[in-house]
Amino acid sequence: MTDDIIWEMPGIYQHVGKEEFDKEIENENFVGSPTIQIFKLIEENNTVIAEGAVQGNMTNGGKLDAVFCDVFEMENGKIKKLTSYLMSKNANLKFE
């Protein structure tokens, strides 16, 4: 990744730089490492898109069970920007 990498989850957070990226990866709200499955991986020019699912255990006893779509923008073979879209599979959604 580039030194000035940006990791954004629209409407949730935007981290800039390797140090902030590492802090989010090592998020203290989770126990251990998550289980990640990649269902689809698409690459074109300097963009890579990964679609998949993630499960993990939280320190408060909760469980993360979500699907995601990550968009990686590359520069000289390194990740310049990561935009993550995440949707919880265990959310109670109501449509009226």
Side-chain angles (χ1 to χ4, degrees):
M1 69 185 76
T2 62
D3 290 334
D4 61 345
I5 184 169
I6 297 170
W7 185 3
E8 177 178 18
M9 188 176 289
I12 308 296
Y13 62 71
Q14 183 181 69
H15 300 299
V16 179
K18 285 183 177 181
E19 187 176 324
E20 287 188 30
F21 188 97
D22 287 344
K23 284 181 185 176
E24 187 62 34
I25 290 290
E26 299 295 328
N27 191 315
E28 63 186 28
N29 293 314
F30 291 91
V31 176
S33 297
T35 301
I36 299 172
Q37 301 90 39
I38 303 293
F39 304 136
K40 192 180 296 181
L41 194 60
I42 301 168
E43 180 269 328
E44 184 174 319
N45 298 320
N46 289 323
T47 303
V48 177
I49 299 173
E51 180 183 1
V54 60
Q55 295 81 35
N57 297 311
M58 302 180 75
T59 54
N60 67 6
K63 301 228 181 251
L64 170 67
D65 187 12
V67 291
F68 66 86
C69 184
D70 283 346
V71 179
F72 298 85
E73 296 176 36
M74 311 297 289
E75 181 179 87
N76 298 320
K78 295 182 178 182
I79 303 168
K80 174 78 174 166
K81 182 177 183 186
L82 168 57
T83 305
S84 296
Y85 302 94
L86 185 73
M87 179 181 281
S88 176
K89 290 170 57 177
N90 54 3
N92 295 319
L93 300 176
K94 292 184 179 182
F95 296 97
E96 296 181 20

